[in-house]
Amino acid sequence: EVQLQASGGGLVQAGGSLRLSCAASGFSIGRYAIGWFRQAPGKEREGVSCIVSGDGSTYNIDAVKGRFSISTDNTKNTVYLQMNSLKPEGTAVYYCARRIYPSDNVCEPFEYGFWGQGTLVTVSS
């Protein structure tokens, strides 16, 4: 059974940092694109950072480049999102998800078919 469990969210002040974790089971994260997505209040869900650890391919949206970093621990079958210099507009529920199809690094929500429950990140100003 494919499962993804997101954790690590919380309340932080602007400029602070958090590291989110996504523990995956039922498949190897090396084969599939794993993405971090977020949905802010009143906004559509968007891809934030995605990775295919098998070939080292990573993607970050422009809004988080230089501040967020996605990485994996393949031994633990876990994906991380290190979030630095957080901004209030980063407040959202963050979800980790697995793409339906293997190999390609795609970071569009409609391409992902397995989702964790999400973890709430609140950035105060």
Side-chain angles (χ1 to χ4, degrees), residues 2-124:
V2 173
Q3 290 186 321
L4 301 106
Q5 183 176 350
S7 62
L11 174 64
V12 298
Q13 292 184 336
S17 298
L18 285 173
R19 189 174 82 155
L20 307 183
S21 298
C22 176
S25 60
F27 70 99
S28 174
I29 63 172
R31 189 181 180 196
Y32 291 87
I34 309 296
W36 284 100
F37 300 81
R38 67 185 179 188
Q39 188 159 20
K43 305 295 184 181
E44 295 183 354
R45 192 184 307 169
E46 65 176 346
V48 178
S49 299
C50 296
I51 187 168
V52 180
S53 62
D55 63 13
S57 176
T58 61
Y59 169 84
N60 302 107
I61 58 170
D62 289 344
V64 307
K65 287 181 178 177
R67 300 187 297 115
F68 290 11
S69 179
I70 190 168
S71 62
T72 65
D73 184 334
N74 288 41
T75 300
K76 297 181 178 180
N77 215 40
T78 298
V79 183
Y80 304 97
L81 183 66
Q82 179 67 46
M83 305 187 296
N84 299 324
S85 301
L86 282 161
K87 301 177 180 180
E89 52 263 44
T91 294
V93 177
Y94 285 72
Y95 301 89
C96 66
R98 195 205 85 179
R99 188 172 180 254
I100 297 171
Y101 306 105
S103 299
D104 293 343
N105 189 7
V106 177
C107 210
E108 295 286 346
F110 76 88
E111 289 276 349
Y112 286 72
F114 301 93
W115 296 81
Q117 290 188 325
T119 185
L120 176 63
V121 173
T122 303
V123 185
S124 65

